[in-house]
Structure formats: structure tokens, C-alpha cells
Amino acid sequence: MAKPQLQKLCVWCGGKGMSGEHFWSEWTHDYVDYGGTGRKRGLHTRILDVEVHEPKSWAKNSPLNNLKLRLPCEACNNGWMSTCETAAKPHLIPMITGGSCTLDADAQRAVATWCVMKAMLAECDKPDLAVCPQADRDEMRTSRTIPDYFEVRVGRHGLTSKASYLRCAETLYVGEDGKAPVVPIDAPIKNVMTATWVIGTLVVAVMAVRSNITPDQMFKVSETLAPRIWPQTTDTIAWPPPVTMTKDHTMWFAHRLDASARMNARAGKLIWTPHPHEKL
Ligand SMILES: [Zn+2]
């Protein structure tokens, strides 16, 4: 007998009436020739470098840019999320199409908010692997607040691929005596996340480090390669950045959590700070 389907509720407001949100926003399809005829998705679960579950993969005969996330309700999708898209769109158009522009403080905020909104939404596709608690999604929905443990960088790449996405989430913990406790691998207590994705010629890198150090301390990134737009460091960023990212650059971005987080954890520099709803 088929299992009864649970009613899905909006990950932002808890409302009913779900809708599908294109991760590669529908309006971008008019500006970017994404190409491709199919897509693959995969899930790996590792402790350090060792796979602890059989890797999973899914394939579909539909291009990646057609991927829809049935996570928001219609009211959120057509309301505040759409407003967020509209605010970022004029700045994103030159960024995804290989053009040039100047990102002033307002533009940096609009693009960064859009990037974090996408990352917060996408991580709800696997709720047990999410870094953000509901309270931070509430703040994003009601006041467009970016949590203070986020960092957003943007770069231009020179690759042929126009759509890709990789998210890594980890639980990093160092006990007070310097010894790491045994953390259940499937426990919903991820505290570090990186999401890297490509839209047209743009590379977006969103990092969230919910710990005693900031993303900036954890991941050293060249400003000439991928300037930081959140937290803001300068009033004006000339686009594109001086250096165009190669395949090695983008791979480093996508996998930087593997090296950097573990190095910090092993050095005892990273201490997990739980939110009230989290227990080991
Ligand atoms: Zn909603």
C-alpha cells in the first residue's frame, strides 16, 4: 500500500498552497543559453574522506536550469521572493551575460540578499542537512535580514558550463578538552555550509559558518578573483573582477570546505555553538 503523502508546507512561512521555484530563475532563461539536455544530482555522506553511506544519484532528461524546488508557497514565491528577484535583476543581468557594471552598496545588498535567499531555500531540499534554523528563515522572509554568519562572494568564470551547483554541509565540533565527541552522522546539526553555483557567466559562492570564527577567517579568498559583496567591505565594486575564474578556481571554490574546515577543526580552532533547538 502506498504511504500517505504528508502535506508539504512552505519552508518560509509554514503556509499551504505550494509552488515550484526555478532555482535558475525563469527570467534568466531569456538571457542565458544554458544548453544541456539532461541533469544529474548526487548525494555523498562522508566522515572526513570516508563514504559512510552508499552515494545516491538521480538523473533526469531535463536541463538543470529547469529544476524547480517545491519548497515555497505561492504567496511567498509571488510576493516577497519575487520582490527580491526584481531588486537584484538589473544588477544580475550584466553579471550573468558577460557584461560590465558597477556594484554600489545598494546593488551589493540586493544581489547578496538574492544569493542568500536562494541558498537558504535550496538547503531545505534536504532539511536534515540545513544550517539555518527556522528563526533565520523568518527574518529573511519578514525583513530580508542576512544572518551574520553568512558571507557572499561573486566571480566571473570562463568555462563552457552555464549551470551547475554544489553544496557541502558539515558538522564540525571540538570539545572543550580538545577531543571531538562522536557526532551522529545523520543528526540535523550541520554548522558549516558552502554553496557554489554557476548562472551563465557568474559564479556565486555563499558560505555560512555558524561557529566562533567568521567565514572570512575560515576561507581565504582573493578579492581580485571573487570580491566579497556581503558583509560589505567597499562602496563600489567594478564588474567584472580583474581575474576570470578557471576550472581549477571554480573547483576550489566548490570544494573549499573539504580542506579548510577540516584543517580548522583539526587545529582545534572551530567550536560548534548550538542553537537552542539542537542537541547532540
Ligand atoms: Zn510561504
Coordinates of all heavy atoms in Angstrom, one line a residue, residues 9-18 71-77 80-81 141, ligand 1:
L9 N 4.6 21.9 3.5 CA 4.3 23.3 3.9 C 5.5 24.1 3.5 O 6.6 23.7 3.4 CB 4.1 23.3 5.4 CG 2.9 22.5 6.0 CD1 2.9 22.6 7.5 CD2 1.6 23.0 5.4
C10 N 5.2 25.4 3.3 CA 6.2 26.4 2.9 C 7.3 26.5 3.9 O 7.1 26.6 5.1 CB 5.5 27.8 2.7 SG 6.7 29.1 2.4
V11 N 8.6 26.4 3.4 CA 9.7 26.4 4.3 C 9.9 27.8 4.9 O 10.7 27.9 5.9 CB 11.0 25.9 3.6 CG1 10.9 24.5 3.2 CG2 11.4 26.8 2.5
W12 N 9.3 28.8 4.3 CA 9.5 30.2 4.9 C 8.4 30.5 5.9 O 8.7 30.9 7.0 CB 9.4 31.2 3.8 CG 10.4 31.1 2.7 CD1 10.1 30.7 1.4 CD2 11.8 31.4 2.7 NE1 11.3 30.8 0.6 CE2 12.3 31.2 1.4 CE3 12.6 31.8 3.8 CZ2 13.7 31.4 1.1 CZ3 14.0 32.0 3.5 CH2 14.5 31.8 2.2
C13 N 7.1 30.3 5.5 CA 6.0 30.8 6.4 C 5.2 29.7 7.0 O 4.3 29.9 7.8 CB 5.2 31.8 5.6 SG 4.1 31.0 4.4
G14 N 5.4 28.4 6.5 CA 4.6 27.3 7.0 C 3.2 27.2 6.4 O 2.4 26.4 6.8
G15 N 3.0 28.0 5.3 CA 1.7 28.1 4.7 C 1.5 26.9 3.7 O 2.4 26.2 3.3
K16 N 0.2 26.7 3.3 CA -0.1 25.7 2.3 C -0.1 26.4 0.9 O 0.1 27.6 0.8 CB -1.4 25.1 2.6 CG -1.4 24.3 3.9 CD -2.8 23.8 4.2 CE -2.9 23.1 5.5 NZ -4.2 22.7 6.0
G17 N -0.5 25.6 -0.1 CA -0.5 26.1 -1.5 C 0.8 26.3 -2.1 O 1.3 27.4 -2.4
M18 N 1.5 25.1 -2.2 CA 2.9 25.1 -2.6 C 3.1 25.5 -4.1 O 2.2 25.3 -4.9 CB 3.5 23.7 -2.4 CG 3.5 23.3 -0.9 SD 4.4 24.4 0.2 CE 6.0 23.8 -0.2
L71 N 9.3 24.1 -2.6 CA 9.6 24.4 -1.2 C 8.8 25.7 -0.7 O 8.5 25.8 0.5 CB 11.1 24.6 -1.0 CG 11.9 23.3 -1.3 CD1 13.4 23.7 -1.3 CD2 11.6 22.3 -0.2
P72 N 8.6 26.7 -1.5 CA 7.9 27.9 -1.1 C 6.4 27.8 -1.4 O 6.0 27.0 -2.3 CB 8.5 29.0 -1.8 CG 9.0 28.4 -3.1 CD 9.2 27.0 -2.9
C73 N 5.6 28.5 -0.7 CA 4.2 28.6 -1.1 C 4.0 29.6 -2.2 O 5.0 30.4 -2.4 CB 3.3 28.9 0.1 SG 3.5 30.6 0.7
E74 N 2.9 29.6 -2.8 CA 2.6 30.6 -3.9 C 2.7 32.0 -3.4 O 3.2 32.9 -4.0 CB 1.2 30.4 -4.5 CG 1.3 29.4 -5.6 CD 0.0 29.2 -6.3 OE1 -0.8 30.2 -6.4 OE2 -0.4 28.1 -6.6
A75 N 2.2 32.3 -2.1 CA 2.2 33.6 -1.6 C 3.6 34.2 -1.4 O 4.0 35.3 -1.7 CB 1.4 33.7 -0.3
C76 N 4.5 33.3 -0.9 CA 5.9 33.7 -0.7 C 6.6 33.9 -2.1 O 7.3 34.9 -2.3 CB 6.7 32.7 0.1 SG 6.4 32.9 1.9
N77 N 6.4 32.9 -2.9 CA 7.1 32.9 -4.2 C 6.7 34.1 -5.1 O 7.5 34.8 -5.7 CB 6.7 31.6 -5.0 CG 7.8 31.3 -6.1 OD1 8.7 32.0 -6.3 ND2 7.6 30.2 -6.7
W80 N 7.1 38.3 -1.6 CA 8.4 38.9 -1.2 C 9.6 38.3 -2.0 O 10.6 39.0 -2.3 CB 8.7 38.8 0.3 CG 8.9 37.4 0.8 CD1 8.0 36.4 1.2 CD2 10.2 36.7 0.9 NE1 8.6 35.3 1.6 CE2 10.0 35.4 1.4 CE3 11.5 37.1 0.6 CZ2 11.0 34.5 1.6 CZ3 12.6 36.2 0.8 CH2 12.3 34.9 1.3
M81 N 9.5 37.0 -2.4 CA 10.6 36.4 -3.1 C 10.7 37.1 -4.5 O 11.8 37.3 -5.0 CB 10.4 34.9 -3.3 CG 10.6 34.1 -2.0 SD 10.3 32.3 -2.2 CE 11.8 31.9 -3.1
R141 N 12.4 36.3 5.5 CA 11.1 36.5 4.9 C 10.5 37.8 5.3 O 10.0 38.6 4.5 CB 10.1 35.4 5.3 CG 8.7 35.5 4.9 CD 7.9 34.3 5.2 NE 7.8 34.0 6.7 CZ 7.0 34.6 7.5 NH1 6.0 35.4 7.1 NH2 7.0 34.2 8.8
Ligands
ZN1 ZN 5.2 30.9 2.4

